[in-house]
PDB file of all heavy atoms in Angstrom:
ATOM      1  N   ASN A  80      91.135 110.902  93.685  1.00  0.00           N
ATOM      2  CA  ASN A  80      92.559 110.744  94.195  1.00  0.00           C
ATOM      3  C   ASN A  80      93.368 111.919  93.974  1.00  0.00           C
ATOM      4  O   ASN A  80      93.247 112.585  92.917  1.00  0.00           O
ATOM      5  CB  ASN A  80      93.133 109.504  93.527  1.00  0.00           C
ATOM      6  CG  ASN A  80      92.379 108.242  93.739  1.00  0.00           C
ATOM      7  OD1 ASN A  80      91.650 107.821  92.828  1.00  0.00           O
ATOM      8  ND2 ASN A  80      92.489 107.672  94.951  1.00  0.00           N
ATOM      9  N   ASN A  81      94.352 112.145  94.849  1.00  0.00           N
ATOM     10  CA  ASN A  81      95.391 113.022  94.558  1.00  0.00           C
ATOM     11  C   ASN A  81      96.654 112.192  94.317  1.00  0.00           C
ATOM     12  O   ASN A  81      97.090 111.461  95.209  1.00  0.00           O
ATOM     13  CB  ASN A  81      95.674 113.938  95.727  1.00  0.00           C
ATOM     14  CG  ASN A  81      94.911 115.316  95.664  1.00  0.00           C
ATOM     15  OD1 ASN A  81      94.545 115.699  94.549  1.00  0.00           O
ATOM     16  ND2 ASN A  81      94.606 115.879  96.775  1.00  0.00           N
ATOM     17  N   TYR A  83      99.789 113.469  91.896  1.00  0.00           N
ATOM     18  CA  TYR A  83     100.294 114.391  90.959  1.00  0.00           C
ATOM     19  C   TYR A  83     101.198 113.741  89.881  1.00  0.00           C
ATOM     20  O   TYR A  83     101.445 114.293  88.864  1.00  0.00           O
ATOM     21  CB  TYR A  83     100.928 115.559  91.651  1.00  0.00           C
ATOM     22  CG  TYR A  83      99.905 116.617  92.067  1.00  0.00           C
ATOM     23  CD1 TYR A  83      98.654 116.201  92.557  1.00  0.00           C
ATOM     24  CD2 TYR A  83     100.205 117.945  92.061  1.00  0.00           C
ATOM     25  CE1 TYR A  83      97.730 117.236  92.979  1.00  0.00           C
ATOM     26  CE2 TYR A  83      99.304 118.950  92.492  1.00  0.00           C
ATOM     27  CZ  TYR A  83      98.093 118.519  92.966  1.00  0.00           C
ATOM     28  OH  TYR A  83      97.145 119.501  93.321  1.00  0.00           O
ATOM     29  N   GLU A  84     101.815 112.571  90.236  1.00  0.00           N
ATOM     30  CA  GLU A  84     102.680 111.963  89.293  1.00  0.00           C
ATOM     31  C   GLU A  84     101.897 111.540  87.988  1.00  0.00           C
ATOM     32  O   GLU A  84     102.491 111.319  87.050  1.00  0.00           O
ATOM     33  CB  GLU A  84     103.332 110.723  89.920  1.00  0.00           C
ATOM     34  CG  GLU A  84     104.463 110.972  90.867  1.00  0.00           C
ATOM     35  CD  GLU A  84     104.028 111.209  92.263  1.00  0.00           C
ATOM     36  OE1 GLU A  84     102.879 111.645  92.507  1.00  0.00           O
ATOM     37  OE2 GLU A  84     104.839 111.089  93.201  1.00  0.00           O
ATOM     38  N   THR A 173     108.909 108.462  96.780  1.00  0.00           N
ATOM     39  CA  THR A 173     108.051 107.738  95.767  1.00  0.00           C
ATOM     40  C   THR A 173     108.991 107.424  94.593  1.00  0.00           C
ATOM     41  O   THR A 173     109.936 108.088  94.295  1.00  0.00           O
ATOM     42  CB  THR A 173     106.969 108.704  95.258  1.00  0.00           C
ATOM     43  OG1 THR A 173     106.089 108.942  96.446  1.00  0.00           O
ATOM     44  CG2 THR A 173     106.129 108.040  94.242  1.00  0.00           C
ATOM     45  N   TYR A 192     108.503 112.712  94.582  1.00  0.00           N
ATOM     46  CA  TYR A 192     107.764 113.189  95.675  1.00  0.00           C
ATOM     47  C   TYR A 192     108.512 112.665  96.849  1.00  0.00           C
ATOM     48  O   TYR A 192     108.964 111.479  97.004  1.00  0.00           O
ATOM     49  CB  TYR A 192     106.408 112.449  95.602  1.00  0.00           C
ATOM     50  CG  TYR A 192     105.342 113.095  96.486  1.00  0.00           C
ATOM     51  CD1 TYR A 192     104.340 113.884  95.921  1.00  0.00           C
ATOM     52  CD2 TYR A 192     105.187 112.819  97.830  1.00  0.00           C
ATOM     53  CE1 TYR A 192     103.374 114.404  96.647  1.00  0.00           C
ATOM     54  CE2 TYR A 192     104.170 113.279  98.582  1.00  0.00           C
ATOM     55  CZ  TYR A 192     103.206 114.127  97.985  1.00  0.00           C
ATOM     56  OH  TYR A 192     102.180 114.634  98.806  1.00  0.00           O
ATOM     57  N   ASN A 221      95.745 104.557  94.480  1.00  0.00           N
ATOM     58  CA  ASN A 221      95.895 104.754  95.888  1.00  0.00           C
ATOM     59  C   ASN A 221      97.213 104.445  96.434  1.00  0.00           C
ATOM     60  O   ASN A 221      97.500 104.395  97.712  1.00  0.00           O
ATOM     61  CB  ASN A 221      94.786 103.943  96.726  1.00  0.00           C
ATOM     62  CG  ASN A 221      93.423 104.396  96.354  1.00  0.00           C
ATOM     63  OD1 ASN A 221      92.782 103.855  95.445  1.00  0.00           O
ATOM     64  ND2 ASN A 221      92.906 105.365  97.109  1.00  0.00           N
ATOM     65  N   ARG A 226     102.087 102.283 100.426  1.00  0.00           N
ATOM     66  CA  ARG A 226     102.032 103.766 100.674  1.00  0.00           C
ATOM     67  C   ARG A 226     101.931 103.958 102.260  1.00  0.00           C
ATOM     68  O   ARG A 226     101.519 103.109 102.926  1.00  0.00           O
ATOM     69  CB  ARG A 226     100.921 104.453  99.878  1.00  0.00           C
ATOM     70  CG  ARG A 226      99.529 103.952 100.224  1.00  0.00           C
ATOM     71  CD  ARG A 226      98.866 104.777 101.292  1.00  0.00           C
ATOM     72  NE  ARG A 226      98.648 106.199 101.113  1.00  0.00           N
ATOM     73  CZ  ARG A 226      97.659 106.783 100.455  1.00  0.00           C
ATOM     74  NH1 ARG A 226      96.748 106.060  99.856  1.00  0.00           N
ATOM     75  NH2 ARG A 226      97.539 108.058 100.353  1.00  0.00           N
ATOM     76  N   GLY A 234      96.584 114.869 104.262  1.00  0.00           N
ATOM     77  CA  GLY A 234      96.853 113.739 103.392  1.00  0.00           C
ATOM     78  C   GLY A 234      98.088 113.814 102.672  1.00  0.00           C
ATOM     79  O   GLY A 234      98.647 112.684 102.252  1.00  0.00           O
ATOM     80  N   SER A 237     100.929 111.432 103.509  1.00  0.00           N
ATOM     81  CA  SER A 237     100.716 110.007 103.300  1.00  0.00           C
ATOM     82  C   SER A 237     101.203 109.598 101.861  1.00  0.00           C
ATOM     83  O   SER A 237     100.404 109.357 100.944  1.00  0.00           O
ATOM     84  CB  SER A 237      99.245 109.592 103.533  1.00  0.00           C
ATOM     85  OG  SER A 237      98.947 109.800 104.877  1.00  0.00           O
ATOM     86  N   LYS A 239     102.708 108.064  98.515  1.00  0.00           N
ATOM     87  CA  LYS A 239     102.264 106.830  97.781  1.00  0.00           C
ATOM     88  C   LYS A 239     103.494 106.110  97.087  1.00  0.00           C
ATOM     89  O   LYS A 239     104.542 106.757  96.863  1.00  0.00           O
ATOM     90  CB  LYS A 239     101.290 107.224  96.729  1.00  0.00           C
ATOM     91  CG  LYS A 239      99.943 107.734  97.239  1.00  0.00           C
ATOM     92  CD  LYS A 239      99.011 108.119  96.208  1.00  0.00           C
ATOM     93  CE  LYS A 239      97.687 108.457  96.822  1.00  0.00           C
ATOM     94  NZ  LYS A 239      96.718 108.819  95.782  1.00  0.00           N
TER      95      LYS A 239
HETATM   96  N1  MTE B 401     101.874 110.698  97.151  1.00  0.00           N
HETATM   97  C1  MTE B 401     102.437 110.885  95.950  1.00  0.00           C
HETATM   98  N2  MTE B 401     103.553 110.262  95.617  1.00  0.00           N
HETATM   99  N3  MTE B 401     101.986 111.857  95.102  1.00  0.00           N
HETATM  100  C2  MTE B 401     100.860 112.644  95.382  1.00  0.00           C
HETATM  101  O1  MTE B 401     100.447 113.501  94.628  1.00  0.00           O
HETATM  102  N4  MTE B 401      99.162 113.166  97.016  1.00  0.00           N
HETATM  103  C3  MTE B 401      98.901 113.259  98.530  1.00  0.00           C
HETATM  104  C4  MTE B 401      98.942 111.838  99.171  1.00  0.00           C
HETATM  105  N5  MTE B 401     100.074 111.123  98.692  1.00  0.00           N
HETATM  106  C5  MTE B 401     100.222 112.432  96.661  1.00  0.00           C
HETATM  107  C6  MTE B 401     100.744 111.392  97.522  1.00  0.00           C
HETATM  108  C7  MTE B 401      97.686 113.891  98.858  1.00  0.00           C
HETATM  109  S1  MTE B 401      97.541 115.533  98.627  1.00  0.00           S
HETATM  110  C8  MTE B 401      96.621 113.206  99.423  1.00  0.00           C
HETATM  111  S2  MTE B 401      95.212 113.916  99.941  1.00  0.00           S
HETATM  112  C9  MTE B 401      96.576 111.679  99.475  1.00  0.00           C
HETATM  113  O2  MTE B 401      97.742 111.133  98.885  1.00  0.00           O
HETATM  114  C10 MTE B 401      95.382 111.142  98.796  1.00  0.00           C
HETATM  115  O3  MTE B 401      95.336 109.781  98.923  1.00  0.00           O
HETATM  116  P1  MTE B 401      94.237 108.876  98.190  1.00  0.00           P
HETATM  117  O4  MTE B 401      94.214 109.310  96.752  1.00  0.00           O
HETATM  118  O5  MTE B 401      94.592 107.429  98.353  1.00  0.00           O
HETATM  119  O6  MTE B 401      92.918 109.232  98.841  1.00  0.00           O
END
Side-chain angles (χ1 to χ4, degrees):
N80 302 102
N81 269 334
Y83 278 35
E84 283 86 338
T173 295
Y192 198 101
N221 293 91
R226 62 92 58 85
S237 293
K239 296 179 171 181

